[in-house]
Amino acid sequence: MTRSTSLPDGGAFAPAWHGSSPPAQLLILTQRSLKAHLAHRRTLILAMLQPVFMLLLLSEVFGSIVDLDHLPDGVSYLDYLLPALLVTTGIGPAIASGIGLVRDMDNGAVARLRTLPIHAPLLLFARSFADLLRTTAQLAILLVVAVVFMDADPAGGVVGLVAALLLTCVVVWAMTWLFLALAAWLRSAEALQSMAYLVTFPLMFASSAFVPVDRMPGWLQVLAILNPLSYAMDASRSLCLDQPLGAQVWSALGASALVALFGASAAVWAFRRPLV
């Protein structure tokens, strides 16, 4: 939007620029974040391969000791693990999103951007969308490697895998907002990493990700049932394995919406604080 002001003698100043529209700003800021990812190619390649290594390691370690009688009929441990690993893989990029925000706040990038006529919350939304695109690429590579090179053959087929991928993207985007909120509040990469370990390890292992919940000790079953990630993993697994969905997908989407709403509100509020 521009506005011209007139001089007393009838002349005019140059039009005053008040910034581009919010959608245009969001697109430009998202492109900026994507270019930052692409600029570190070695880091990007390692990030894309990390989920594949995790799948190979966990499928071999746990697959060699898990009793297949405790899994759904006709389901291999690889097929059982793959849907849950989609969700757990998304935790790492969500943490990295918060750390990236802290670094931008430390190196002055955020301060420079704030001097421009842009809406400050769009910086957070742009980062979340750019990191979501990177995570989607990671998960897609994981699925392709699992199916093509590791002979994963979930009963839901391609449709089930794509549906699980889309559901996981929603869940991961919601988790990203939690870590963006922590980053905007703590403003310390070290403190954020310490907090992330305290939060993510119980969420990952006290869940239905690696073994059926009914095979856990009683107290751990309670934690797994209360764990919000268990709903996402169960929904993803049902989609991949072509099992009855019930209310699992809606529960996962509803929980993700609440988490995203809370996280985004907290992140924007904390981000608006002056940079000290």
Side-chain angles (χ1 to χ4, degrees):
M1 180 185 298
T2 58
R3 183 181 61 187
S4 298
T5 55
S6 299
L7 292 171
D9 59 0
F13 290 117
W17 184 63
H18 296 280
S20 55
S21 65
Q25 292 180 16
L26 181 60
L27 178 60
I28 294 171
L29 291 171
T30 302
Q31 291 175 342
R32 170 189 173 274
S33 296
L34 285 174
K35 289 179 180 179
H37 291 319
L38 296 175
H40 301 85
R41 296 181 181 178
R42 295 178 181 176
T43 303
L44 183 62
I45 292 174
L46 291 176
M48 293 298 168
L49 294 179
Q50 181 180 355
V52 176
F53 294 148
M54 291 297 296
L55 177 63
L56 179 61
L57 179 63
L58 293 176
S59 63
E60 292 298 319
V61 172
F62 290 108
S64 62
I65 61 176
V66 168
D67 188 348
L68 295 181
D69 292 335
H70 297 151
L71 301 181
D73 293 338
V75 176
S76 67
Y77 184 69
L78 176 61
D79 292 343
Y80 180 85
L81 175 66
L82 180 59
L85 197 59
L86 289 175
V87 180
T88 59
T89 296
I91 296 177
I95 297 173
S97 184
I99 294 175
L101 176 61
V102 172
R103 289 175 178 169
D104 278 352
M105 298 173 82
D106 286 341
N107 63 23
V110 170
R112 291 192 297 272
L113 289 171
R114 278 183 165 181
T115 63
L116 302 175
I118 63 176
H119 300 280
L122 293 182
L123 293 171
L124 300 177
F125 280 92
R127 175 170 291 278
S128 71
F129 289 140
D131 290 341
L132 179 61
L133 291 175
R134 182 189 62 177
T135 303
T136 303
Q138 282 182 291
L139 299 181
I141 292 173
L142 174 64
L143 292 178
V144 170
V145 171
V147 173
V148 175
F149 297 102
M150 299 180 66
D151 296 327
D153 187 23
V158 175
V159 174
L161 290 174
V162 173
L165 174 63
L166 295 177
L167 174 66
T168 301
C169 288
V170 175
V171 174
V172 171
W173 188 69
M175 288 194 299
T176 298
W177 279 109
L178 288 181
F179 290 104
L180 287 176
L182 287 173
W185 176 258
L186 296 173
R187 302 190 177 183
S188 167
E190 293 77 10
L192 178 59
Q193 286 179 324
S194 299
M195 179 68 74
Y197 285 125
L198 292 176
V199 172
T200 58
F201 272 86
L203 289 176
M204 288 176 58
F205 292 100
S207 69
S208 60
F210 306 115
V211 296
V213 173
D214 58 8
R215 307 308 303 173
M216 298 178 177
W219 66 271
L220 197 54
Q221 290 186 29
V222 175
L223 294 180
I225 293 172
L226 296 176
N227 188 341
L229 285 187
S230 289
Y231 296 101
M233 294 172 187
D234 291 342
S236 176
R237 186 170 285 132
S238 296
L239 290 169
C240 284
L241 302 181
D242 195 25
Q243 295 177 339
L245 293 177
Q248 292 175 337
V249 173
W250 295 113
S251 297
L253 292 176
S256 298
L258 291 176
V259 169
L261 179 61
F262 171 78
S265 301
V268 171
W269 178 81
F271 187 70
R272 287 184 181 276
R273 292 184 301 153
L275 296 175
V276 180

